């Protein structure tokens, strides 16, 4: 679905002043705010996106020249947010929290679930969080990284079962396999029967005939592990990758997840806005007036770019397909080059004479 024109969204003309744009935004933001009766969250986002572009002089200039492609197809902060929002992770996405025995589950069960069957032991190991730092180019094109972590892994001797090889699990004699014991407690409402986790089997309902002689029934061993992580092209600083079941192991259960937080180093020449790469190139006053061709550094190598005669300082030029790949589609944004015209600060006597002759001829209407 194509985006609406940002000026149309705010209801202002293309010649609107910064103050007019701000006033229009405030009025529409109040009108469509989701917390207000009759608010519209989608329209509120659309208005906010338009304002984020048009309030910024440089972004507005690129939008006027190139349309939505000149601002990465969207407003807002650099990088367009976390591209892995649908895959879980930190920052408001689904994260597994293991409260263990005696945690919130037990508190709630005292009042709302007394006598009911409790969860039978730990379901999975702990989630693990780590980070890795990429160069600007690695973030653009993707890379495979090896990450070394010190964490609980499956016991090599018992394969995580907690049982010494050659032996089996048996029914817990304390709870009879139910994983819980019934206990009568006194409350302000009187005596209440409560199911508590069996202390012998930890809620599993089974115990080893003989515990593993290596991990002593834990089912895990602490060791350094080297994991290969494939980082997709187009990832941005601050993104988080979730790797399911690559976290810590737990005896007689599943693994937790691994969360890799991405950090991207700043580049000496390039900056990034969503799928756009931005850079500057300097040319002389004569080249700006007469026109020239210059070599432009991009992430793909050097590209020859034509600068037409009469180019003004601050003019933007778009190199299509030399920007950042979109993490979901793979299509690449543009590289936008801002040309800066260098005005000489020191002139020779002859240079001054030539400029004065040029200026005089112009004033006399000779060209």
């Amino acid at each position: 679905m194509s985006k609406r024109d940002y000026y149309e969204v705010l209801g202002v003309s293309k010649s609107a002043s910064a103050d007019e744009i701000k006033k229009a935004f405030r009025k529409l933001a109040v009108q469509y705010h989701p917390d207000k009766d009759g608010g519209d969250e989608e329209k509120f986002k659309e208005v906010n996106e338009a304002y984020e572009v048009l309030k910024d002089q440089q972004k507005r200039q690129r939008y006027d020249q190139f349309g939505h492609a000149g601002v990465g197809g969207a407003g807002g902060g650099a990088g367009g947010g976390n591209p892995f929002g649908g895959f879980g992770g930190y920052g408001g996405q689904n994260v597994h929290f293991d409260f263990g025995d005696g945690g919130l589950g037990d508190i709630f069960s005292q009042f709302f679930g007394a006598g009911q069957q409790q969860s039978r032991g730990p379901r999975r190991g702990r989630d693990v969080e780590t980070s890795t730092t990429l160069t600007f180019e690695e973030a653009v094109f993707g890379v495979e990284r090896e990450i070394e972590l010190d964490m609980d892994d499956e016991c090599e001797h018992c394969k995580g079962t907690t049982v010494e090889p050659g032996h089996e699990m048996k029914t817990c004699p304390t709870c009879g396999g139910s994983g819980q014991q019934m206990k009568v407690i006194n409350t302000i409402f009187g005596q209440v029967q409560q199911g508590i986790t069996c202390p012998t089997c930890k809620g599993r309902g089974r115990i080893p005939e003989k515990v593993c002689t290596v991990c002593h029934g834990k089912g895990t061993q602490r060791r350094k592990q080297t994991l290969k992580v494939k980082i997709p092209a187009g990832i941005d600083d601050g993104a988080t990758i979730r790797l399911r079941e690559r976290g810590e192991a737990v005896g007689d259960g599943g693994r937790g997840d691994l969360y890799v937080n991405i950090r991207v180093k700043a580049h000496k020449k390039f900056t990034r806005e969503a799928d756009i790469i931005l850079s500057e190139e300097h040319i002389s006053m004569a080249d700006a007036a007469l026109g020239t061709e210059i070599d432009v550094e991009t992430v793909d190598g050097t590209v020859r770019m034509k600068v037409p005669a009469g180019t003004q300082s601050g003019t933007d030029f778009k190199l299509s397909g030399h920007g950042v790949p979109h993490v979901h589609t793979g299509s690449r944004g543009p590289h936008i080059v801002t040309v800066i015209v260098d005005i000489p600060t020191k002139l020779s006597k002859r240079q001054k004479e030539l400029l004065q002759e040029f200026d005089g001829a112009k004033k006399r209407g000779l060209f």
Side-chain angles (χ1 to χ4, degrees):
M1 183 178 177
S2 60
K3 288 180 177 289
R4 291 173 62 199
D5 178 80
Y6 286 149
Y7 293 101
E8 180 186 338
V9 170
L10 295 182
V12 297
S13 68
K14 291 190 176 182
S15 60
S17 66
D19 189 53
E20 289 172 329
I21 289 173
K22 183 185 291 186
K23 288 180 179 178
F25 164 71
R26 288 177 175 173
K27 179 181 178 181
L28 293 172
V30 171
Q31 180 180 345
Y32 294 126
H33 198 285
D35 293 338
K36 180 183 177 182
D37 289 339
D40 189 317
E41 184 175 359
E42 290 305 315
K43 287 187 177 180
F44 180 78
K45 290 179 180 178
E46 186 181 42
V47 166
N48 188 66
E49 179 180 311
Y51 180 63
E52 286 297 314
V53 171
L54 298 185
K55 75 175 182 179
D56 186 294
Q57 185 176 356
Q58 291 183 329
K59 288 183 181 179
R60 182 178 178 181
Q61 179 180 321
R62 294 202 306 272
Y63 177 71
D64 289 344
Q65 187 172 358
F66 304 118
H68 290 98
V71 288
N82 186 349
F84 297 91
F87 295 92
Y90 295 92
Q93 288 126 38
N94 296 326
V95 181
H96 173 77
F97 294 96
D98 186 4
F99 295 107
D101 294 331
L104 294 182
D106 288 338
I107 295 173
F108 289 134
S109 68
Q110 289 184 21
F111 297 99
F112 303 110
Q116 296 180 359
Q117 179 72 23
Q118 291 181 298
S119 60
R120 297 170 66 90
R123 296 179 180 177
R124 60 202 295 271
R126 291 193 307 165
D127 292 337
V128 177
E129 183 179 13
T130 188
S131 64
T132 188
T133 302
L134 312 179
T135 65
F136 189 91
E137 289 82 2
E138 287 173 336
V140 170
F141 295 112
V143 67
E144 187 173 78
R145 274 291 169 82
E146 287 190 349
I147 297 177
E148 190 174 88
L149 296 169
D150 186 20
M151 58 184 182
D152 287 344
D153 196 10
E154 183 180 87
C155 174
E156 294 180 340
H157 187 62
C158 69
K159 307 302 180 186
T161 64
T162 73
V163 185
E164 179 69 17
H167 296 266
E168 297 179 352
M169 298 288 283
K170 66 179 182 179
T171 300
C172 176
T174 303
C175 64
S178 67
Q180 64 175 353
Q181 287 182 303
M182 302 311 296
K183 177 182 178 181
V184 177
I185 59 173
N186 294 316
T187 72
I188 58 175
F189 305 108
Q191 289 188 331
V192 176
Q193 191 176 41
Q194 177 198 10
I196 62 171
T197 301
C198 175
T200 303
C201 67
K202 308 299 182 185
R204 291 185 293 176
R206 302 178 301 158
I207 60 173
E209 287 181 341
K210 181 180 180 181
V211 297
C212 174
T213 55
V214 174
C215 67
H216 306 292
K218 187 179 179 183
T220 60
Q221 293 175 296
R222 196 78 175 175
R223 64 166 65 94
K224 286 187 176 180
Q225 302 175 53
T226 301
L227 304 175
K228 288 186 177 181
V229 180
K230 187 174 182 181
I231 299 171
I235 199 166
D236 203 356
D237 182 63
T240 299
I241 298 176
R242 178 185 185 183
L243 301 176
R244 295 182 181 276
E245 299 182 357
R246 300 291 293 276
E248 288 197 338
V250 68
D252 197 26
R255 284 182 176 272
D257 296 334
L258 173 64
Y259 295 89
V260 183
N261 298 320
I262 303 298
R263 299 289 177 263
V264 180
K265 294 179 182 178
H267 195 277
K268 63 181 181 179
K269 187 175 181 67
F270 306 138
T271 55
R272 174 179 175 179
E273 288 183 7
D275 60 356
I276 296 175
I277 293 177
L278 304 168
S279 68
E280 293 182 351
E281 295 292 340
H282 290 250
I283 62 174
S284 68
M285 186 173 63
D287 284 339
L290 301 174
T292 186
E293 288 188 358
I294 59 174
D295 289 330
V296 176
E297 181 184 349
T298 74
V299 291
D300 301 303
T302 302
V303 174
R304 195 74 173 166
M305 186 180 82
K306 184 177 180 180
V307 180
T311 292
Q312 302 298 302
S313 186
T315 301
D316 292 324
F317 294 88
K318 183 171 69 172
L319 301 176
S320 298
H322 289 285
V324 180
H326 191 282
V327 290
H328 297 304
T329 65
S331 60
R332 295 180 65 177
H335 181 143
I336 294 181
V337 182
T338 302
V339 170
I340 306 298
V341 179
D342 293 328
I343 306 298
T345 56
K346 293 182 179 180
L347 295 172
S348 66
K349 182 179 179 181
R350 179 56 180 157
Q351 287 172 328
K352 289 181 180 179
E353 290 173 350
L354 291 171
L355 284 175
Q356 287 168 352
E357 289 178 14
F358 174 81
D359 187 51
K362 183 179 180 182
K363 288 178 179 177
R364 292 194 300 271
L366 298 180
F367 58 85

